[in-house]
Amino acid sequence: MTEPTPVPDDAGGGAHAMAARSTSTTPASGKGTSTNGRQVDSRTRLFGRPPASPDVDPYQESGDQRSADEVEAGIVALWQAFGDQRAQELRDRLVLHYAPLVKYVAGRVGTGLPSHVEVSDLIQSGIFGLVDAIEKFEPERGLKFETYAMQRIRGAILDDLRAQDWVPRSVRSRARDVERALERLEAKLQRTATDAELAAELELSLDELRELFAQLQMTSVVALDDLIGAGQSTSSLAETLPDDRAEDPVAALVDRDSRRQLAEAVERLSDRDRIVVTLYYFENLTLAEIGKVLGVTESRVCQLHTRAVLRLRSKLTESN
C-alpha cells in the first residue's frame, strides 16, 4: 500500500508533475486503498462533478475531505484525460478550475486603463484567452500552465482593447513620445515648455508639431459623465441636461393662479367693459367690429377698452 509522492512546485500541468503522480514510493498510514485505487478514486471524484468555486474550500466538498495532494492528482488526471480525448466537457472543467487566473490578470491590466473600461469586459476577453491556452498547452514540454495561461490571457485582453480603439497605434505611439518629451523638458527647465522648445526636443519644426497636435486631438477623449461629475458625489450627465419639452411645475402653477385672478377681475368689471374685453381678447374682434356690436363709434370703444384695462390692472394689483 503506497501513496503518490508530494507534487513539486511545477505541478500546474507539466510533464514533471505527471511523472511524479505515476510514481508511488511513500508508505501510507491507515489507508485501505492502493495507489492505483487512489488514482481511480481521484478521477471519479473530479470527473463526476465540476471543480469547486475559488471562493469555496476545494478540500471540503459535500462532506468529502481531501488533501492538497489529492486535488492536484485530480487536476493532473484531468489534464491526461483531456490530452487523450480532447472532449469539450473536460475542457470546460479545466476552464472552471483556472478561471481565477482570468480575474487576476484582468484586475492587473485594468489598473492602468480609463475608468469607463469595465473590468467585466476584460474578464470576458480573458476567458477566450484561457480557452485558447488550454487548447494549445503541451504538458510534455514541462512548463507550468499558470505561467503560460497568464501570458495568453493578457494577450487576449490587449488584443481586444486594441480592436476597440479607434486611434491608430502609430498615433498612440507618437502621443507617448510627446508626453515623455514634455516630462523631460519640464524636469530640466522647471517650468512649462514652450512649443518651440518641445519641437526642438522632438526634432520637428513648429508646423510639424502643430500638425502632430491636430492628430493627437482624437486621443484626448473624456467621457461626459466624468467631466460633469468631477468633484461631485454621484451625478450623471442625464441628471444635468434640461428637458425643454417637460412642463415646469412652478411655471404651470403661476400661470394657473394668474388666470384665476384675471378671471375674477374680469367678473368684477361693469357689463360694457366686460363685453369689450371679451370680444377683443377672446373673440379677436377689432375695435371697429366691437363698435358695431355695441352701437358706438370706434373711438368710444377705444376709450372703453383703455378704461377696462386700467380697472383690471388696479384689481390685480390689489389682489397681489
Side-chain angles (χ1 to χ4, degrees), residues 191-204:
R191 59 175 173 81
T192 302
T194 63
D195 290 349
E197 294 170 341
L198 180 59
E201 180 70 19
L202 294 172
E203 298 180 355
L204 300 174

Side-chain angles (χ1 to χ4, degrees), residues 97-306:
H97 178 75
Y98 293 107
L101 287 177
V102 178
K103 186 175 181 181
Y104 171 77
V105 176
R108 293 287 298 273
V109 175
T111 54
L113 298 177
S115 58
H116 65 271
V117 179
E118 298 290 341
V119 179
S120 58
D121 295 337
L122 304 182
I123 293 176
Q124 182 178 2
S125 304
I127 288 294
F128 290 102
L130 176 60
V131 173
D132 186 62
I134 292 175
E135 292 284 352
K136 297 180 179 179
F137 183 63
E138 299 177 358
E140 60 272 9
R141 291 179 176 269
L143 301 176
K144 190 174 182 180
F145 175 76
E146 286 83 350
T147 304
Y148 171 76
M150 288 175 65
Q151 296 297 327
R152 302 289 299 190
I153 294 169
R154 186 176 184 274
I157 293 176
L158 294 180
D159 289 343
D160 189 61
L161 289 175
R162 294 189 184 104
Q164 298 177 13
D165 192 3
W166 64 92
V167 180
R169 295 184 63 183
S170 59
V171 177
R172 292 288 186 189
S173 178
R174 296 301 300 274
R176 288 192 294 268
D177 293 340
V178 172
E179 291 176 359
R180 285 193 289 264
L182 283 173
E183 292 177 359
R184 292 194 303 267
L185 284 175
E186 292 178 356
K188 181 172 61 176
L189 301 175
Q190 296 299 314
R191 59 175 173 81
T192 302
T194 63
D195 290 349
E197 294 170 341
L198 180 59
E201 180 70 19
L202 294 172
E203 298 180 355
L204 300 174
S205 64
L206 283 177
D207 293 337
E208 291 175 340
L209 180 63
R210 294 190 181 98
E211 183 180 354
L212 177 60
F213 283 156
Q215 295 177 358
L216 298 182
Q217 285 180 353
M218 65 180 68
T219 64
S220 302
V221 179
V222 180
L224 287 178
D225 284 337
D226 297 339
L227 186 62
I228 296 297
Q232 302 179 7
S233 55
T234 53
S235 61
S236 63
L237 180 62
E239 297 174 353
T240 62
L241 295 177
D243 187 0
D244 298 332
R245 295 176 296 178
E247 182 181 8
D248 186 1
V250 177
L253 180 61
V254 171
D255 181 68
R256 190 181 302 115
D257 187 64
S258 299
R259 289 173 179 271
R260 179 187 58 79
Q261 294 181 13
L262 181 60
E264 293 176 355
V266 171
E267 288 295 329
R268 292 199 296 268
L269 292 174
S270 62
D271 293 341
R272 184 170 287 249
D273 292 345
R274 187 166 58 251
I275 292 174
V276 171
V277 170
T278 303
L279 294 178
Y280 187 76
Y281 289 102
F282 294 97
E283 301 297 335
N284 295 324
L285 298 181
T286 63
L287 295 178
E289 293 172 341
I290 296 174
K292 293 179 181 180
V293 172
L294 297 178
V296 297
T297 62
E298 183 178 353
S299 61
R300 179 55 182 167
V301 174
C302 183
Q303 295 174 0
L304 293 174
H305 173 265
T306 303

